[in-house]
Amino acid sequence: MRIDDFDYELPERLIAQNPLQIRGGSKLLVANPKSLSISDTQFNKFIDYILPNDLIIFNNTKVLKARMLATKSTGGKIEILIERIIDDKNALALIRSSKKITEKNIIWLSEKNSISIVGRKNNLYKIQLNSGNFYDLLDEFGHVPLPPYINRKDDVNDEERYQTIFAKESGAVAAPTAGLHFSDKDFELLKNKKIKYTFLTLHVGSGTFQPVKVDDINLHVMHDERYFISQETKNLIVMTKKMGGRVIAIGTTVLRALESAFVDNAILVGEQETNIFIKPGYTFKLVDALFTNFHLPKSTLIMLVSAFAGYDFTKQIYSHAILNEYRFFSYGDAMFIEQKKE
């Protein structure tokens, strides 16, 4: 398939620039690939679609304040986006600068805090702190790394709203946005209705926003992301399958981690890395239903949804969402794909 097969026209007004006033106040599109049905409801009705033996899985990664504005020793302004913290002193980062960056450059965040460039890894720079540690530095100088399609500066509200309420494990530079809809009230409801849920961790990288640059999607190389699945989560998945329940992924990050971890007919536990590229033709092994936001044209994530719901049906879903003026992308509305296509 070609990259243009995954394009669609989206009116700019439908790109959500801010979160709704109330977390979870969004609309929900419910799609069933088996019956080819599409219906409109509200997110607060999502729990009505959960069956007794189902298992809901969330991504508990925590978004770092990964974007920093700095100055080169020559005086030029640059922007740093931390991709991965290796240890207290070392990290991988994307660096934007009007002029070429070299290993001779010293980057200044303040009069006391500087960073040295010590190497390259593909399109990322290896950077090293000359004093302090990266976690403290991001707390002091970092900004919320809002996606490129949000055309405004981050503010205090984003520090809360571009973070799930269950965020725990620091390491992401983009939010697992499907989880942004859920509030404490929703978890109370899950407990009261005795609906099983659990967590895994996948640290979302900046590559999630990188465009596919090849016409033939089979030639695209995915970025690497770290994830962790516990023995407890594995046990719950195995029990759910035995009882005939569905494994419901809250977000494409959860789906990618689960599908990556299923190797030789078993679920691997512990910390791992994935660069899995899920596109039409992929056979799903673990995930039975997907709750997700709407994704960018020509992105690997709309390809993933097309694999899950079927290519033609996914086009219908997106056309329906645009016609009915759903809000798109990170701060937008959501959809629930009830069943994978057989």
Side-chain angles (χ1 to χ4, degrees):
M1 301 189 80
R2 315 298 294 182
I3 185 62
D4 288 341
D5 293 331
F6 299 91
D7 196 11
Y8 65 91
E9 289 188 22
L10 179 69
E12 194 170 332
R13 70 179 186 280
L14 297 185
I15 301 174
Q17 296 295 313
N18 292 280
L20 294 172
Q21 188 171 1
I22 299 172
R23 192 186 287 266
S26 52
K27 294 196 291 187
L28 178 66
L29 182 153
V30 179
N32 189 317
K34 195 171 183 180
S35 62
L36 299 181
S37 64
I38 299 173
S39 60
D40 305 303
T41 186
Q42 295 296 126
F43 167 74
N44 60 16
K45 300 293 184 184
F46 170 62
I47 201 164
D48 295 344
Y49 294 89
I50 308 304
L51 304 175
N53 292 323
D54 288 348
L55 173 66
I56 302 175
I57 305 181
F58 298 89
N59 182 3
N60 67 358
T61 188
K62 187 174 184 179
V63 180
L64 299 166
K65 291 166 65 176
R67 180 172 164 265
M68 294 187 290
L69 305 176
T71 306
K72 290 189 292 187
S73 52
T74 56
K77 302 294 184 184
I78 65 170
E79 180 179 316
I80 302 169
L81 181 66
I82 301 296
E83 172 72 18
R84 180 181 300 192
I85 294 177
I86 299 169
D87 56 39
D88 285 354
K89 297 286 186 186
N90 295 278
L92 294 172
L94 290 168
I95 299 179
R96 283 187 188 173
S97 174
S98 59
K99 294 184 179 179
K100 187 177 179 181
I101 296 287
T102 70
E103 292 183 27
K104 295 179 181 179
N105 289 124
I106 300 293
I107 298 168
W108 293 91
L109 296 163
S110 71
E111 290 182 0
K112 297 179 181 179
N113 300 99
S114 65
I115 293 171
S116 296
I117 297 172
V118 295
R120 292 290 297 266
K121 183 180 179 181
N122 300 323
N123 65 327
L124 299 173
Y125 289 89
K126 296 178 181 179
I127 59 176
Q128 189 173 74
L129 265 185
N130 296 321
S131 62
N133 72 75
F134 266 111
Y135 289 101
D136 290 343
L137 200 74
L138 293 179
D139 277 342
E140 185 174 358
F141 297 105
H143 292 260
V144 177
L146 292 178
Y149 44 75
I150 293 182
N151 300 316
R152 61 175 177 81
K153 293 181 179 179
D154 62 299
D155 57 33
V156 175
N157 190 40
D158 294 309
E159 292 188 25
E160 177 191 354
R161 295 300 299 275
Y162 195 65
Q163 194 84 267
T164 64
I165 64 159
F166 46 83
K168 181 181 179 184
E169 306 294 339
S170 292
V173 299
T177 54
L180 296 179
H181 300 273
F182 293 82
S183 66
D184 289 324
K185 183 179 176 182
D186 296 307
F187 282 93
E188 288 174 17
L189 199 55
L190 291 175
K191 289 175 183 176
N192 291 339
K193 294 207 168 190
K194 297 182 179 178
I195 293 170
K196 298 189 298 296
Y197 65 88
T198 187
F199 302 90
L200 56 75
T201 305
L202 183 140
H203 293 311
V204 192
S206 60
T208 193
F209 300 120
Q210 296 301 310
V212 177
K213 296 179 179 178
V214 291
D215 287 332
D216 181 352
I217 66 169
N218 294 310
L219 300 178
H220 177 66
V221 179
M222 288 287 287
H223 56 289
D224 293 324
E225 290 175 319
R226 292 171 294 158
Y227 70 97
F228 175 86
I229 296 176
S230 68
Q231 184 65 45
E232 178 187 4
T233 292
K234 174 183 175 177
N235 293 344
L236 284 168
I237 293 170
V238 171
M239 182 176 70
T240 298
K241 292 290 189 179
K242 283 183 178 178
M243 295 177 67
R246 298 176 300 174
V247 171
I248 299 173
I250 303 299
T252 56
T253 61
V254 171
L255 185 149
R256 292 181 71 245
L258 291 174
E259 293 295 317
S260 298
F262 195 80
V263 179
D264 294 332
N265 217 32
I267 302 168
L268 301 179
V269 299
E271 187 164 332
Q272 298 156 76
E273 292 217 4
T274 181
N275 63 354
I276 190 172
F277 182 13
I278 296 176
K279 55 187 181 293
Y282 178 86
T283 300
F284 290 87
K285 306 170 185 71
L286 280 183
V287 178
D288 303 300
L290 173 65
F291 177 96
T292 186
N293 283 20
F294 295 91
H295 303 292
L296 289 164
K298 299 184 178 182
S299 66
T300 59
L301 297 181
I302 195 171
M303 295 174 196
L304 181 154
V305 173
S306 296
F308 196 84
Y311 174 77
D312 290 333
F313 189 47
T314 298
K315 291 185 73 172
Q316 292 177 41
I317 290 170
Y318 273 72
S319 295
H320 179 96
I322 292 168
L323 182 65
N324 289 275
E325 301 210 327
Y326 277 71
R327 301 167 74 250
F328 275 60
F329 308 152
S330 295
Y331 278 144
D333 296 317
M335 63 175 163
F336 181 50
I337 306 172
E338 288 192 88
Q339 294 174 305
K340 65 181 180 181
K341 190 172 183 178
E342 295 178 353

